[in-house]
């Protein structure tokens, strides 16, 4: 096989994989995660099921790949962590994460992913693992605490709860509050959770 043949084969695999991921976005959104089977995904992508399984083995893998394609959490949080573990880190992380949820011209893709995930236990697990790995992998190894993993998980749970209540449930006044005001209000508590410092008497 020549170099050209290898390149062509790689390009075709990449194209087919992207078609399978796109099929996942279409079908998971339209008919739900649980109601979509792998044969549906393969057919929509224009692939035979066995060929599709050679790219992504099951629908959980398809959903995981969709998450990775849609929002690269680790890459987005990296710059905030790179500035150092200081008292401003919780606010930087909160601003970066919550910004992913804010709508632009269209609804945030994270809202779409969470709607899919919350409809099925397996999809919820896949999303939780991807988000957790992205967050914890960037943050907890930098924290100087024995319980860094727990602190990071609790920090992520707080941010995730804010995002879900604000964007999926639409609970007021949180839903319409200015995002910077939200960040300023919750930062003392987030700082205490992540860094173990008391929020009493500290500005957000």
């Amino acid at each position: 096989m020549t170099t050209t043949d290898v390149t062509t084969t790689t390009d075709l695999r990449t194209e087919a994989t992207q078609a399978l991921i796109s099929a996942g976005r279409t079908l998971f959104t339209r008919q739900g995660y649980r109601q979509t089977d792998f044969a549906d995904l393969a057919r929509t992508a224009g692939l035979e099921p066995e060929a599709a399984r050679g790219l992504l083995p099951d629908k959980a893998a398809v959903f995981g790949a969709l998450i990775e394609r849609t929002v690269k959490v680790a890459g987005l949080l990296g710059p905030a962590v790179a500035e150092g573990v200081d008292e401003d880190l919780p606010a930087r992380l909160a601003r970066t994460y919550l910004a992913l949820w804010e709508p632009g011209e269209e609804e945030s893709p994270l809202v779409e992913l969470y709607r899919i995930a919350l409809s099925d236990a397996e999809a919820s697990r896949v999303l939780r693992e991807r988000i957790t790995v992205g967050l914890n992998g960037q943050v907890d190894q930098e924290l100087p605490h024995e319980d860094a993993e727990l602190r990071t998980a609790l920090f992520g749970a707080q941010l995730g709860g804010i995002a879900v209540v604000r964007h999926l449930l639409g609970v007021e006044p949180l839903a319409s509050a200015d995002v910077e005001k939200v960040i300023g209000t919750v930062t003392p508590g987030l700082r205490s959770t992540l860094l173990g410092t008391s929020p009493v008497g500290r500005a957000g």
Side-chain angles (χ1 to χ4, degrees):
M1 182 178 291
T2 67
T3 301
T4 301
D5 291 336
V6 171
T7 301
T8 300
T9 300
T10 301
D11 289 345
L12 290 173
R13 283 183 60 86
T14 300
E15 182 179 333
T17 301
Q18 291 303 316
L20 190 55
I21 296 170
S22 294
R25 179 178 183 181
T26 298
L27 296 182
F28 294 150
T29 301
R30 180 188 302 162
Q31 60 192 40
Y33 184 89
R34 187 175 303 176
Q35 289 72 31
T36 300
D37 61 32
F38 195 82
D40 294 332
L41 295 168
R43 182 168 53 254
T44 302
L47 301 168
E48 293 295 325
E50 286 308 307
R53 288 189 189 281
L55 302 169
L56 294 167
D58 52 35
K59 73 176 181 179
V62 174
F63 186 49
L66 174 60
I67 295 167
E68 292 293 330
R69 190 178 78 174
T70 303
V71 52
K72 296 177 173 59
V73 176
L76 289 166
L77 295 179
V81 179
E83 292 184 38
V85 177
D86 54 29
E87 289 192 353
D88 291 329
L89 176 61
R92 292 198 303 272
L93 289 170
R95 185 169 289 108
T96 301
Y97 178 75
L98 293 178
L100 300 176
W101 288 80
E102 293 300 308
E105 293 183 1
E106 298 181 354
E107 187 175 67
S108 165
L110 261 183
V111 174
E112 179 181 76
L113 290 175
Y114 269 75
R115 283 191 181 131
I116 295 169
L118 291 176
S119 69
D120 181 84
E122 180 180 77
S124 295
R125 175 187 59 78
V126 173
L127 180 61
R128 182 175 64 249
E129 289 175 353
R130 298 288 175 137
I131 296 295
T132 298
V133 167
L135 178 63
N136 290 8
Q138 289 292 310
V139 180
D140 63 27
Q141 61 185 347
E142 303 294 335
L143 296 182
H145 300 291
E146 292 183 2
D147 57 351
E149 187 173 355
L150 174 60
R151 288 184 178 278
T152 304
L154 290 170
F155 177 82
Q158 287 175 271
L159 286 180
I162 291 168
V164 168
V165 170
R166 177 175 168 85
H167 295 286
L168 289 180
L169 301 182
V171 176
E172 295 291 358
L174 180 57
S176 58
D178 178 76
V179 68
E180 284 299 322
K181 185 173 183 179
V182 172
I183 292 168
T185 302
V186 301
T187 288
L190 292 174
R191 184 184 292 124
S192 179
T193 298
L194 191 64
L195 303 179
T197 54
S198 172
V200 177
R202 296 182 184 274

